[in-house]
C-alpha cells in the first residue's frame, strides 16, 4: 500500500491530464474515438494533443476530450476544435505529428492549419 504522501504526489502528477479531459475552457478539442477512429489511429492523436497542450502551457485555456463517431469515417482520425465565438474547425486524416502541429499553430498561435482541414 502506498503512503498518503505517495498517493498525494501521484494525484498532483495526474491532475493536469484529468483537467485537460474534463475542463470547461474557452477552446475545446474533440477527438473522434469510435471504433472507426480508433482503427484509423485516433488514440495516438488524442495522446499527442493531451501531451502537447500540457507542454505548451495551454492547460488553463484548452480542454481535450474524446467523443464517439463524428460521422465522417472515411476521414478518420478526425479532430474538431471549438473556440468561443468562432466557427468549428474540423481536421481530418490526422496523426500524432499533425496533432502536435495543430496544437502549436492553431491552439497556441491562433492560426488554423488549413492543409489538414476538411474541404467542403
Amino acid at each position: 500500500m502506498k503512503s498518503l504522501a505517495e498517493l498525494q504526489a501521484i494525484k498532483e502528477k495526474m491532475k493536469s491530464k484529468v483537467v485537460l479531459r474534463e475542463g470547461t475552457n474557452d477552446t475545446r478539442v474533440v477527438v473522434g474515438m469510435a471504433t472507426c477512429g480508433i482503427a484509423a489511429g485516433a488514440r495516438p492523436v488524442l495522446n499527442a494533443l493531451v501531451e502537447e497542450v500540457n507542454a505548451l502551457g495551454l492547460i488553463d485555456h484548452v480542454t481535450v476530450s474524446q467523443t464517439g463517431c463524428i460521422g465522417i469515417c472515411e476521414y478518420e482520425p478526425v479532430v474538431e476544435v471549438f473556440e468561443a465565438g468562432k466557427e468549428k474547425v474540423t481536421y481530418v486524416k490526422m496523426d500524432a505529428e499533425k496533432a502536435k502541429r495543430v496544437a502549436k499553430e492553431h491552439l497556441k498561435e491562433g492560426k488554423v492549419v488549413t492543409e489538414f482541414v476538411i474541404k467542403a
Side-chain angles (χ1 to χ4, degrees), residues 65-97:
S65 62
Q66 61 187 37
T67 190
C69 184
I70 294 174
I72 50 175
C73 302
E74 66 270 23
Y75 295 107
E76 291 288 358
V78 176
V79 174
E80 294 183 321
V81 178
F82 299 89
E83 294 178 278
K86 295 183 181 179
E87 292 278 327
K88 169 184 75 173
V89 177
T90 303
Y91 291 105
V92 297
K93 300 199 180 276
M94 295 296 289
D95 61 31
E97 290 306 310

Side-chain angles (χ1 to χ4, degrees), residues 13-73:
K13 181 180 175 187
M14 298 307 292
K15 190 176 185 180
S16 64
K17 293 188 182 204
V18 172
V19 170
L20 284 172
R21 294 177 187 225
E22 296 177 357
T24 55
N25 296 315
D26 291 337
T27 301
R28 190 168 51 97
V29 180
V30 178
V31 180
M33 292 288 289
T35 53
C36 52
I38 293 169
R43 193 171 313 282
V45 171
L46 176 68
N47 291 339
L49 284 167
V50 168
E51 291 168 8
E52 256 338 89
V53 165
N54 193 31
L56 293 170
L58 301 174
I59 192 167
D60 293 332
H61 308 290
V62 178
T63 301
V64 179
S65 62
Q66 61 187 37
T67 190
C69 184
I70 294 174
I72 50 175
C73 302

